[in-house]
């Protein structure tokens, strides 16, 4: 696994991310869930510290159950954000223009698609793969 500037990493395929975060740093003050996955939302919520905020950006098709008792007792809040503003978009573009975003793009021939799918299933691909056709 390639790590680009991270102090800690967790692969949720092999370990519960919320448990890892709680164990390693005691939880987080805020989590932003962009995945369209019910388990990802659950882990983002469970990773919060007391008084934390979970921001839901992705829109999974399932309903997310929220433990009301724990939410109230721990002072946790859940908010949604469908899209950013133009200012948010400009800040994101500026962030990338300042060189703070590093992309990992690899090319492969279309004929290698079966190998690429195997690598994807094993979690061995970091970044994006662009398929090329022809020579």
């Amino acid at each position: 696994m390639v790590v680009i500037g991270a102090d800690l990493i967790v692969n949720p395929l092999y370990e519960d991310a919320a448990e890892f975060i709680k164990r390693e740093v005691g939880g987080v003050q805020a989590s932003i869930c962009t995945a369209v996955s019910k388990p990802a939302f659950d882990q983002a919520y469970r990773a919060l510290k007391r008084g934390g905020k979970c921001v839901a950006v992705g829109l999974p098709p399932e309903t997310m159950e929220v433990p009301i008792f724990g939410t109230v007792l721990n002072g946790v809040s859940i908010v949604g954000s469908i899209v950013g503003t133009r200012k948010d978009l400009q800040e994101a573009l500026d962030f990338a223009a300042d060189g703070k975003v590093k992309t990992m793009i690899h090319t492969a021939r279309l004929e290698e698609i079966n190998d690429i799918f195997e690598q994807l299933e094993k979690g061995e691909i970091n970044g994006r793969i662009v398929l090329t056709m022809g020579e």
Side-chain angles (χ1 to χ4, degrees):
M1 181 178 292
V2 176
V3 180
I4 303 175
D7 293 326
L8 295 170
I9 60 168
V10 60
N11 185 335
L13 291 176
Y14 304 111
E15 182 173 7
D16 184 282
E19 290 176 13
F20 175 87
I21 292 167
K22 290 276 188 163
R23 181 182 70 244
E24 295 296 323
V25 297
V28 294
Q29 196 60 42
S31 62
I32 302 171
C33 189
T34 60
V36 291
S37 156
K38 185 175 181 176
F41 272 96
D42 177 61
Q43 291 180 13
Y45 173 85
R46 290 186 299 109
L48 294 172
K49 291 180 178 180
R50 177 184 267 294
K53 182 178 284 192
C54 181
V55 181
V57 178
L59 301 171
E62 307 96 346
T63 300
M64 180 179 162
E65 287 103 29
V66 177
I68 300 301
F69 187 77
T71 300
V72 173
L73 188 63
N74 292 319
V76 169
S77 61
I78 301 171
V79 297
S81 176
I82 276 190
V83 293
T85 64
R86 288 180 188 257
K87 183 176 185 255
D88 294 333
L89 178 58
Q90 186 59 54
E91 288 175 1
L93 292 172
D94 290 344
F95 192 78
D98 289 343
K100 296 176 182 173
V101 176
K102 303 293 181 209
T103 57
M104 296 174 56
I105 301 171
H106 307 281
T107 59
R109 294 175 326 161
L110 183 59
E111 294 80 14
E112 299 175 72
I113 190 71
N114 290 331
D115 293 333
I116 292 167
F117 278 127
E118 285 180 28
Q119 291 174 319
L120 281 168
E121 288 174 350
K122 293 177 184 175
E124 296 175 346
I125 292 180
N126 293 301
R128 298 288 184 255
I129 295 197
V130 176
L131 297 174
T132 60
M133 294 186 279
E135 315 239 347

